[in-house]
Amino acid sequence: MRVVSLLPSATEIVAALGIEPVGVSHECDHPPRMSDKPAVNRSRVDPTASSAEIDEQVLEAERSGGVYDIELDTLARLDPDLVVSQGICEVCAVDAVAVREAVDELQLDCEVLTTDPHSIGDVFDDIRRIGAATGTEERATALVADLEARVQAVERTTTMTDERPRVAVLDWTDPAMVAGHWIPEMVEMAGGSYGLTDHGAASRPVEWETIREYDPEVLVVAPCGFDLDQTTENLTDLTDRPGWDELTAVQDGRTYAIDGHQYVNRPGTRLVDSLEHLAGVIHPEAFERPPEEAARPLSALPISS
């Protein structure tokens, strides 16, 4: 089957099911060999810019037709049987409406499968749906069973912990944005409390004063699309704000950067890795700390003013 995957999380799922996609998005980089696949879309936003500049570029792109362009010639040449797209966020990846318009324009005879996860359970359902669409149902069932067992192992451990610290996860720094969707559920699974937004709610910008009033005991910075180096480059968006040094998480040394590009904001098979990483920073006494390439204490990062 000829599969085109237009978001990194779906590409990871497709690969985990033993399928080599014929085309991917410009951001698909895991497994690493996916970077060599033909890219079927491109972004109008400079991913190397600062968080504030990216926010401005996104707003401008949305006013002028969207953040992403689909390479119609490439899509036509690849002639897919299945295109996997998404409906969760027009900023994160090319959305399903644009994909369907491209498929119709090219008169391609293919199925468009749209993912729209807002919880870990939704991600598991997406794995099963992609398995059904690609004839890999048995492999999908086994993969989900393995991931569910790892989730249950985390939850068993956190039921034995008394402390439920207030946790904030930020998936953007300028403006400051509170992570939503699967994050509130995952924080609670990992043994924390998450009082800034509800389960399944979209990520949203918040006033800095709201975060100060919430006063997180554990603060995780995981900007969408940023690796640890780019997160470090933008940390003054937070550390220069009034009251940063007064936050309980800062005073207690419980602030962390997690790779938001590879983990927290990528709802694929490694979302369970993200759960385990969150558990490791929320309850380091009960879980292994995440590997340095995935997460680091902010105190270990070279923050410059």
Side-chain angles (χ1 to χ4, degrees), residues 217-229:
E217 296 168 282
V218 178
L219 175 63
V220 174
V221 184
C224 185
F226 281 13
D227 61 16
L228 290 178
D229 288 341

Side-chain angles (χ1 to χ4, degrees), residues 62-299:
E62 289 177 332
R63 288 192 289 264
S64 59
V67 177
Y68 299 97
D69 291 320
I70 297 176
E71 302 287 356
L72 295 178
D73 290 345
T74 302
L75 184 59
R77 175 172 56 82
L78 294 175
D79 191 23
D81 302 303
L82 174 69
V83 178
V84 185
S85 186
Q86 61 88 38
I88 193 170
C89 176
E90 294 181 3
V91 176
C92 299
V94 62
D95 68 276
V97 173
V99 173
R100 292 184 187 278
E101 289 176 350
V103 167
D104 290 344
E105 180 178 343
L106 296 171
Q107 298 184 321
L108 296 176
D109 181 19
C110 70
E111 177 185 355
V112 177
L113 189 157
T114 302
T115 65
D116 188 15
H118 297 273
S119 68
I120 284 188
D122 289 346
V123 174
F124 295 164
D125 287 343
D126 285 339
I127 294 173
R128 296 186 186 97
R129 290 173 60 223
I130 294 172
T134 56
T136 58
E137 293 95 334
E138 289 187 9
R139 193 157 181 167
T141 298
L143 175 58
V144 169
D146 176 69
L147 295 172
E148 287 179 331
R150 290 168 58 192
V151 170
Q152 291 164 7
V154 170
E155 291 185 298
R156 280 195 303 270
T157 300
T158 56
T159 59
M160 296 183 288
T161 59
D162 294 328
E163 181 193 15
R164 290 272 165 171
R166 293 185 308 278
V167 178
V169 180
L170 304 182
D171 70 3
W172 203 247
T173 56
D174 190 3
M177 294 186 68
V178 172
H181 303 296
W182 46 84
I183 292 300
E185 171 191 36
M186 286 172 54
V187 166
E188 292 181 6
M189 288 176 170
S193 62
Y194 202 75
L196 288 170
T197 195
D198 297 328
H199 286 210
S203 300
R204 62 183 179 89
V206 295
E207 296 294 332
W208 179 246
E209 191 58 32
T210 300
I211 295 172
R212 290 185 65 182
E213 291 175 0
Y214 178 66
D215 191 23
E217 296 168 282
V218 178
L219 175 63
V220 174
V221 184
C224 185
F226 281 13
D227 61 16
L228 290 178
D229 288 341
Q230 199 166 3
T231 299
T232 301
E233 292 169 7
N234 289 272
L235 276 179
T236 52
D237 293 343
L238 301 175
T239 60
D240 285 353
R241 291 180 184 269
W244 166 263
D245 291 334
E246 298 168 8
L247 295 176
T248 297
V250 174
Q251 293 186 346
D252 291 348
R254 302 187 72 182
T255 58
Y256 304 89
I258 295 183
D259 189 326
H261 176 58
Q262 293 292 337
Y263 294 102
V264 176
N265 302 294
R266 189 178 289 201
T269 54
R270 291 190 296 166
L271 198 61
V272 176
D273 293 45
S274 301
L275 171 64
E276 294 166 343
H277 297 341
L278 284 170
V281 301
I282 296 171
H283 286 289
E285 79 286 354
F287 295 92
E288 290 186 9
R289 286 192 179 272
E292 189 175 79
E293 66 270 16
R296 298 172 199 164
L298 293 191
S299 58

